[in-house]
Amino acid sequence: MEKMRKIVGIMMILALSVSLIACGSQEKKENGSEDSQEVEITFWMQKYGSDPSVQDKLMQELTADFKEKTGITVKYSIIDWDSALTKYTLACTGGEAPDVADIFFTSSLAAMSNEGCGPMEINDVVAEMGGDETWYQAGKDEANINGDWYGIPWRFDTRVLLYNTEDFEEAGLEVPETWDDLIKVGKALTKVDEKGNITHAGLAWYAGMSRFDQTWFTLLAQAGGELMNDDFSEFIFDSPEGEESLRFLVDCINKEKICASSVDASYDAVSEFMAGNVSMVYGVTGETKTSIENQAPQLNGKFASAVLPNKSGEGVSSIAFSAPISIFKSTQNVEASKEWVKYFCSEEVQLKVSQELALLNSNINVMEDSYFTEDEWLNTFVAQSARSQSGDMPIPEWSQIDAWPDGPIPAMCNKVVAGEDIIKSLDEGAKGANDLIQE
Amino acid sequence: MKKLKKTKAAIFHYAGLLLVSLFVLLPYYWMIVTSIKPKEEVMLSPPTLIPSAIDLSNYIEVWKTLPLAKYLQNSLFVAGMTTIIGVVLAVLCGYSLSRYAYKKLQKGTTILMLCTQLIPSVLPMISLYFIMYKLDLANTYIGLIIAYSVWAIPFCTLMMKSYFTTTIPHELEESATIDGCSKFGTFLRICLPISIPGVVATAIFAFILAWNDYMWASIMLSNNDLKPVSVGIYDYVGQFGGNANLALTMTTAVIVTIPAIILFAFLQKYLISGLAAGAVKG
Amino acid sequence: MRVRNKLDRYTPVIMLLPAVIGIVMVSVFPSLDAVRMSLFDIQLLKAESPFIGMRNYVTALTDPEFLKVILNTIFFCIVSLFLGSVLAMKIATQLIKDYPGKAFFRSIFLSPWVTPPLVTATVWRILLSENFGPVNTVLLKLGIIDQPISFLGSSTQYLGFLSIPMLVIIVINVWSIFPFMMVMFIAGLQTVPKELYEAAQMDGANKRQQFFRITLPYIMPVIQTSILLEGIWQFNNFNISYLVAKGGPLNLTKLLAVEVYNQAFANFKYGYASGVSVIMVLIVLIPSIFYIRDSLRKEQE
């Protein structure tokens, strides 16, 4: 009895003291910012890069520098991707909202916003920063709603081919430029055992947690197809190109047997590449290089990037995504927020951000910097940017249609990879997407 | 003959336990092994089952890449406060329900507690979030603690209620009342001290509930400073769900779980005796 | 004196109140609000939220995919419960015997309970990975299989809804929940008076008969309570299904709680999501009525 009492007593004292310490440190922070009469704004951004501490250090530097220049304090929060959409949804519908944020699905957020919430129009800031033509088309598409700018495009994402240079040299192969080439190269690199199982795959679609929609968008673009019509009122991917691209996605796995992707949630293409199980990954992002360097140093110097092949060998062969930095209408400090946006999205800062976080940039001038053009890995992305089309559609329902895993498009891709009939799935997918717009 | 039978029984006992231990310990083994493998060996396929060498650099690196100490502190604080508040309220309420079970208010409350168990946590989340937000509690420790405490209360109250009912004889209280003790005094000075095992069991339950929660914490918090460990592990997951760094993720997992397991190794005795009198007999 | 008397008289109520107020504000009100939302067509992307009565419920219950999710959830719940309680009982009966190492084993077996669900899901997902997981590696080395099993990707369906991924998440779930039941069972087994066993042994009963005729009936209340409680918790389980494979592949491991989450946070259909969660409560209400009635009956005794 006595012993137990003592233990419980000690535990309670410990708990209380921890709580007092934590309370104390939190209060200090609040007091600190209340004492000074400065302006303070909040900034939310998602996590980028494979080392969380790099992003944190970068933001500390930038906010300190900004404070020196303008006297405005910026409190930043790094949000993880899994809850980002939920947080922004709550922010737009009356919940806690930041002053400035790194958002996505811009038109969805704007459409669902309550009065006085959600991203605000900032045509004036755009004018100050050089006008319309400063950014790539994908950036413009994503940040514009009905001709008005609702954010400044910053990060840019286009997909390229990752390949193992050693494997290619050994087999005496050249980087493929057309789909036919891809299949030939894939077959030459794939090793199969006596039972017909792939022991080393030539190719893997870039998909983690069995997410194939973005790979398919790439293939659709490469086949010359489009997701929607010109005025974004209808989905038109149930077309010959749609069928061809879906078929190509599946054939590489089942018929040509050069690809080892599956709907298994634990299958991660880049991990397989790092383990040496795969020679090519189709559609990787810019930060893949740092990721490989951090986790698989044995591959250093043995991998490279190349522009993705497409059906004909010329023209569009990839997709591009862009995301804007937006100011929320609910902000109490419009001027300060605008200052931060102008600072963060300035060419200088964007170049630094891109370098630290291994990101590409929506600002054309930034991408022309020698950092990008003279780096072998990054150079590919610059070249690919010129051959990309938009991967996100600027309609409010897009977040639902591309919702993973249940939206009509990801579901369609998964069904097809799992073996269901292509035409049937394609039709169901298009119908599902169009139904959502009509509702 | 008897000795043979006894040995057979012993072998059967230990063999069975070892088999189950394999099943239970497999994840922890893999966590530890992955975290101490040299860097080149982590992403091998098929993986090596035993590391070829021991490399502890991940344990140093992980503190630099994640504010892990802050996350642990946050988790400890939130879980600790939840335990204190939840247990206090549950003990008070449980005592009332046990001693005055014949009264209408107490009967109604018991039914309320029983029914609350049925509600899936997803149901009230959105509405609760907005309530918290309007009260300026979004993104605060308090918002988390209030929700966790309340979620722990039904089970804890019912457990304490059974505990009080089965372990405290009425005579004890009667003699105290005769001596002029107030109702609350009787509770505090007579009943509570002998109920410690039940309280400990309840406290453990509340602590684990708060420590393990993922969804409510990720909805409520946008500030990194307040993040608990149950959400912090997600720092390594990238934009498309892919794992950004397997070795560091496993290292974090080890740091987060192993101390908790060791702590509970000490507490399990009280947990069982508390439950024995409380949830079991009642 | 007067004040103290009044305070004393109301002590039981005062002790009761904080807990009740907390529950009403944090659980009851939001739940009622969710019920209210389920009767409207609330979609964030739409400007209006008209009253539609039971239409959300009708849509859900006439959707074959949704019915499959209900089936998944019930199957998941029952099988997890069965395997978990059998495992827990087997271990509990061993762990009350006086063998050395009792405390050691009890501590080990408690571990899954204190492991955060995100850690559980991430580690198990790696364990079962086709090319990176030791499970496949060992099975291959032992020659039991020729090629790695895709534990989380095999999309063949048996009987219309069963699949390997579903069985896999049940195994992971059993790993996670049996500690709690084990602890309840150990506590219960310790209350069985030894004299009963001694008497039975003198009458010539063997171990098996002792277990089924003495032990089981004696601790039946504990078993019932644990199973009902765990049953409700497992029916509402969100973490395992969502964190391991997000309900995939192809929704084969999707549970009702994940459906609510997807509808609310990915499709922004708050009305429909609330409707699904109300359906969950209604389904779970049926067996729970017995639990509540039993508990109230015990009150009387």
Side-chain angles (χ1 to χ4, degrees):
Chain A
M1 262 322 136
E2 277 311 307
K3 217 188 186 182
M4 274 195 262
R5 266 176 123 180
K6 278 200 194 138
I7 294 181
V8 171
I10 294 175
M11 272 169 52
M12 289 192 65
I13 295 178
L14 269 170
L16 263 162
S17 26
V18 169
S19 58
L20 284 172
I21 296 174
C23 251
S25 54
Q26 202 188 11
E27 273 198 68
K28 249 184 245 166
K29 280 194 202 118
E30 288 166 22
N31 281 339
S33 47
E34 268 173 33
D35 276 345
S36 39
Q37 289 256 332
E38 347 176 302
V39 179
E40 192 183 283
I41 56 174
T42 49
F43 176 55
W44 289 1
M45 84 190 275
Q46 278 77 271
K47 184 194 143 327
Y48 298 101
S50 50
D51 184 347
S53 64
V54 169
Q55 186 175 7
D56 196 53
K57 230 178 8 168
L58 170 70
M59 291 314 293
Q60 272 180 22
E61 265 180 55
L62 292 178
T63 50
D65 185 52
F66 182 66
K67 177 145 185 200
E68 237 187 86
K69 297 200 167 103
T70 62
I72 305 174
T73 315
V74 175
K75 283 187 76 175
Y76 65 91
S77 282
I78 300 181
I79 307 213
D80 64 72
W81 283 98
D82 209 57
S83 51
L85 183 58
T86 307
K87 289 221 168 57
Y88 289 128
T89 309
L90 291 171
C92 293
T93 50
E96 189 198 359
D99 293 297
V100 184
D102 152 34
I103 66 173
F104 49 99
F105 290 154
T106 318
S107 43
S108 299
L109 292 182
M112 71 170 72
S113 295
N114 294 354
E115 268 299 315
C117 299
M120 71 187 261
E121 173 256 296
I122 47 174
N123 289 331
D124 53 342
V125 179
V126 169
E128 278 181 62
M129 294 189 69
D132 280 20
E133 300 309 317
T134 321
W135 297 279
Y136 287 109
Q137 185 63 37
K140 278 192 261 192
D141 286 341
E142 182 61 32
N144 263 268
I145 304 179
N146 293 331
D148 288 317
W149 289 84
Y150 279 79
I152 305 288
W154 69 293
R155 63 183 174 92
F156 191 72
D157 176 16
T158 187
R159 308 294 167 81
V160 304
L161 183 71
L162 167 73
Y163 68 100
N164 187 315
T165 47
E166 233 184 18
D167 290 351
F168 269 64
E169 260 177 57
E170 261 179 49
L173 295 168
E174 298 266 325
V175 177
E177 288 184 18
T178 64
W179 280 5
D180 287 335
D181 282 349
L182 181 68
I183 297 189
K184 271 195 231 130
V185 168
K187 283 202 172 146
L189 290 167
T190 303
K191 301 193 182 72
V192 171
D193 68 10
E194 330 78 57
K195 301 202 183 85
N197 301 320
I198 300 182
T199 52
H200 178 102
L203 179 67
W205 302 124
Y206 179 68
M209 287 287 273
S210 70
R211 197 188 164 166
F212 292 98
D213 54 332
Q214 297 187 335
T215 304
W216 175 65
F217 293 158
T218 329
L219 293 174
L220 179 65
Q222 294 170 357
E226 300 266 352
L227 277 170
M228 300 188 83
N229 59 2
D230 278 338
D231 58 352
F232 299 119
S233 59
E234 201 195 327
F235 280 92
I236 55 171
F237 59 82
D238 49 345
S239 56
E241 293 87 7
E243 193 198 321
E244 230 186 309
S245 46
L246 271 183
R247 205 170 286 281
F248 191 72
L249 178 72
V250 179
D251 280 351
C252 286
I253 304 177
N254 298 331
K255 201 170 88 168
E256 311 289 352
K257 290 213 175 224
I258 56 173
C259 180
S261 297
S262 76
V263 287
D264 192 315
S266 61
Y267 187 86
D268 183 66
V270 178
S271 299
E272 298 288 330
F273 184 84
M274 289 195 245
N277 286 348
V278 155
S279 297
M280 294 185 276
V281 180
Y282 208 82
V284 302
T285 57
E287 56 178 35
T288 310
K289 174 158 177 261
T290 355
S291 196
I292 300 182
E293 281 169 357
N294 278 341
Q295 294 197 71
Q298 67 272 23
L299 282 182
N300 277 344
K302 301 191 184 149
F303 65 94
S305 59
V307 167
L308 280 172
N310 68 1
K311 203 166 134 210
S312 63
E314 287 184 5
V316 173
S317 74
S318 185
I319 45 173
F321 300 94
S322 169
I325 301 283
S326 303
I327 303 180
F328 274 67
K329 286 188 202 159
S330 44
T331 178
Q332 309 276 354
N333 288 305
V334 177
E335 285 314 312
S337 303
K338 286 188 179 171
E339 286 302 310
W340 171 247
V341 170
K342 281 192 279 191
Y343 172 82
F344 189 75
C345 298
S346 64
E347 280 175 34
E348 231 183 275
V349 174
Q350 281 300 299
L351 183 58
K352 183 157 198 210
V353 168
S354 306
Q355 288 170 323
E356 296 289 319
L357 302 180
L359 289 173
L360 307 168
N361 210 282
S362 301
N363 190 316
I364 303 184
N365 301 329
V366 174
M367 285 283 264
E368 280 173 7
D369 186 274
S370 57
Y371 165 74
F372 292 103
T373 53
E374 285 173 18
D375 178 299
E376 262 182 36
W377 173 264
L378 292 172
N379 200 350
T380 317
F381 290 86
V382 180
Q384 186 77 82
S385 308
R387 292 176 61 182
S388 298
Q389 69 185 33
S390 256
D392 270 339
M393 299 289 105
I395 52 172
E397 299 83 4
W398 181 244
S399 63
Q400 261 177 281
I401 295 174
D402 198 31
W404 169 61
D406 271 351
I409 296 186
M412 170 184 81
C413 297
N414 271 13
K415 277 192 228 164
V416 149
V417 171
E420 292 199 18
D421 180 69
I422 293 183
I423 309 249
K424 184 162 154 275
S425 304
L426 191 62
D427 285 339
E428 278 171 9
K431 182 168 179 308
N434 281 322
D435 278 348
L436 279 171
I437 311 190
Q438 252 109 41
E439 259 182 30
Chain B
M1 254 328 271
K2 249 201 178 160
K3 244 199 172 163
L4 193 64
K5 240 192 179 177
K6 271 201 166 166
T7 343
K8 257 168 87 181
I11 295 179
F12 175 70
H13 170 89
Y14 284 108
L17 287 181
L18 278 164
L19 206 64
V20 179
S21 304
L22 236 89
F23 174 56
V24 172
L25 292 179
L26 182 59
Y28 303 107
Y29 174 73
W30 198 244
M31 265 192 241
I32 297 177
V33 156
T34 311
S35 67
I36 57 177
K37 276 185 185 169
K39 272 221 165 100
E40 305 80 45
E41 208 180 311
V42 175
M43 298 304 278
L44 285 185
S45 159
T48 50
L49 296 177
I50 304 177
S52 61
I54 297 189
D55 177 0
L56 295 176
S57 61
N58 283 329
Y59 285 91
I60 306 179
E61 212 180 308
V62 85
W63 300 98
K64 291 196 233 152
T65 55
L66 277 193
L68 196 53
K70 195 93 211 343
Y71 291 166
L72 283 171
Q73 194 185 331
N74 290 338
S75 275
L76 217 63
F77 175 67
V78 170
M81 291 303 287
T82 302
T83 307
I84 296 176
I85 297 178
V87 167
V88 166
L89 294 189
V91 165
L92 289 176
C93 190
Y95 182 78
S96 177
L97 293 185
S98 154
R99 283 303 168 244
Y100 303 94
Y102 47 88
K103 289 201 176 164
K104 263 191 260 175
L105 178 62
Q106 271 73 359
K107 278 199 184 147
T109 307
T110 310
I111 297 183
L112 176 67
M113 298 280 173
L114 292 169
C115 288
T116 320
Q117 304 265 44
L118 301 177
I119 303 177
S121 50
V122 275
L123 177 60
M125 252 187 217
I126 303 171
S127 310
L128 186 60
Y129 171 80
F130 280 110
I131 295 177
M132 292 272 173
Y133 177 67
K134 298 241 166 64
L135 295 174
D136 248 345
L137 291 176
N139 211 17
T140 58
Y141 283 133
I142 305 183
L144 288 183
I145 295 172
I146 294 180
Y148 294 154
S149 310
V150 170
W151 290 342
I153 284 179
F155 181 75
C156 296
T157 310
L158 293 173
M159 224 173 56
M160 287 313 299
K161 172 175 177 236
S162 319
Y163 194 85
F164 284 129
T165 312
T166 52
T167 42
I168 304 191
H170 281 271
E171 302 84 52
L172 217 59
E173 292 182 319
E174 278 164 15
S175 45
T177 327
I178 293 176
D179 285 345
C181 218
S182 70
K183 290 202 179 106
F184 190 72
T186 320
F187 161 71
L188 201 59
R189 273 175 244 146
I190 313 269
C191 305
L192 199 53
I194 51 181
S195 321
I196 298 288
V199 174
V200 172
T202 310
I204 292 176
F205 182 80
F207 190 88
I208 295 181
L209 185 141
W211 180 266
N212 278 355
D213 175 76
Y214 161 76
M215 244 197 24
W216 182 239
S218 67
I219 290 183
M220 279 287 281
L221 300 175
S222 56
N223 190 340
N224 275 40
D225 285 340
L226 302 179
K227 228 194 255 190
V229 116
S230 48
V231 179
I233 301 189
Y234 242 26
D235 275 4
Y236 286 118
V237 176
Q239 189 176 355
F240 306 107
N243 208 303
N245 196 317
L246 186 58
L248 289 181
T249 308
M250 294 290 115
T251 314
T252 316
V254 171
I255 296 180
V256 164
T257 47
I258 303 295
I261 294 176
I262 297 180
L263 180 66
F264 276 83
F266 289 114
L267 292 177
Q268 51 94 14
K269 199 165 54 160
Y270 303 116
L271 177 66
I272 292 178
S273 62
L275 282 176
V280 167
K281 289 215 184 111
Chain C
M1 241 358 249
R2 262 240 184 114
V3 177
R4 206 200 283 172
N5 268 340
K6 256 223 170 127
L7 215 63
D8 196 59
R9 200 151 60 99
Y10 284 115
T11 300
V13 177
I14 299 178
M15 289 174 82
L16 176 50
L17 236 33
V20 172
I21 294 177
I23 292 183
V24 167
M25 287 189 38
V26 173
S27 289
V28 176
F29 267 154
S31 304
L32 292 178
D33 194 40
V35 174
R36 176 195 66 87
M37 285 205 281
S38 72
L39 300 174
F40 289 77
D41 180 24
I42 304 183
Q43 297 194 44
L44 291 190
L45 295 180
K46 289 211 204 149
E48 310 230 316
S49 298
F51 177 81
I52 52 167
M54 303 293 286
R55 189 140 62 90
N56 278 327
Y57 296 96
V58 173
T59 318
L61 295 171
T62 52
D63 180 3
E65 288 297 320
F66 183 73
L67 295 176
K68 236 203 237 178
V69 175
I70 296 183
L71 198 55
N72 280 347
T73 315
I74 296 180
F75 181 76
F76 172 84
C77 179
I78 294 182
V79 177
S80 300
L81 265 187
F82 179 71
L83 293 178
S85 40
V86 166
L87 181 64
M89 183 57 86
K90 286 229 137 157
I91 300 181
T93 48
Q94 293 301 324
L95 284 183
I96 55 167
K97 295 189 186 158
D98 266 319
Y99 286 101
K102 206 164 63 162
F104 172 71
F105 279 112
R106 284 187 189 181
S107 318
I108 292 186
F109 295 151
L110 267 185
S111 314
W113 195 21
V114 281
T115 311
L118 194 48
V119 173
T120 306
T122 314
V123 180
W124 271 103
R125 193 171 50 226
I126 310 272
L127 283 179
L128 298 169
S129 158
E130 267 182 289
N131 292 327
F132 289 97
V135 176
N136 268 318
T137 312
V138 169
L139 289 176
L140 279 171
K141 275 212 178 130
L142 292 179
I144 302 180
I145 53 175
D146 307 316
Q147 64 167 134
I149 304 179
S150 171
F151 287 105
L152 293 172
S154 159
S155 53
T156 14
Q157 295 183 36
Y158 310 95
L159 300 176
F161 70 99
L162 264 190
S163 59
I164 294 187
M166 173 55 90
L167 296 174
V168 161
I169 64 164
I170 290 180
V171 169
I172 302 177
N173 197 37
V174 168
W175 181 90
S176 185
I177 64 175
F178 91 89
F180 178 76
M181 289 201 276
M182 174 192 84
V183 159
M184 296 286 273
F185 290 165
I186 289 181
L189 287 172
Q190 283 180 333
T191 63
V192 181
K194 289 216 166 95
E195 301 86 52
L196 285 181
Y197 290 122
E198 285 167 15
Q201 205 153 24
M202 287 206 287
D203 284 347
N206 65 16
K207 289 279 170 169
R208 202 142 197 261
Q209 287 169 322
Q210 285 177 29
F211 180 76
F212 281 103
R213 298 259 184 86
I214 301 181
T215 320
L216 226 40
Y218 199 88
I219 60 172
M220 195 44 86
V222 184
I223 299 181
Q224 276 179 337
T225 317
S226 319
I227 290 190
L228 266 161
L229 220 55
E230 272 294 344
I232 297 175
W233 290 342
Q234 291 324 306
F235 188 79
N236 293 338
N237 194 319
F238 167 83
N239 287 328
I240 294 291
S241 168
Y242 183 74
L243 295 174
V244 175
K246 295 240 185 327
L250 302 179
N251 295 338
L252 287 174
T253 59
K254 198 201 270 200
L255 302 181
L256 283 170
V258 176
E259 173 72 3
V260 172
Y261 181 85
N262 276 348
Q263 290 297 344
F265 296 108
N267 290 349
F268 310 124
K269 293 188 177 167
Y270 284 179
Y272 184 75
S274 303
V276 174
S277 48
V278 171
I279 293 179
M280 286 172 75
V281 176
L282 293 175
I283 297 181
V284 121
L285 206 54
I286 303 171
S288 312
I289 291 192
F290 295 115
Y291 166 60
I292 298 181
R293 214 180 45 180
D294 265 355
S295 302
L296 287 178
R297 217 181 270 156
K298 260 191 244 148
E299 295 295 297
Q300 257 83 346
E301 289 165 17

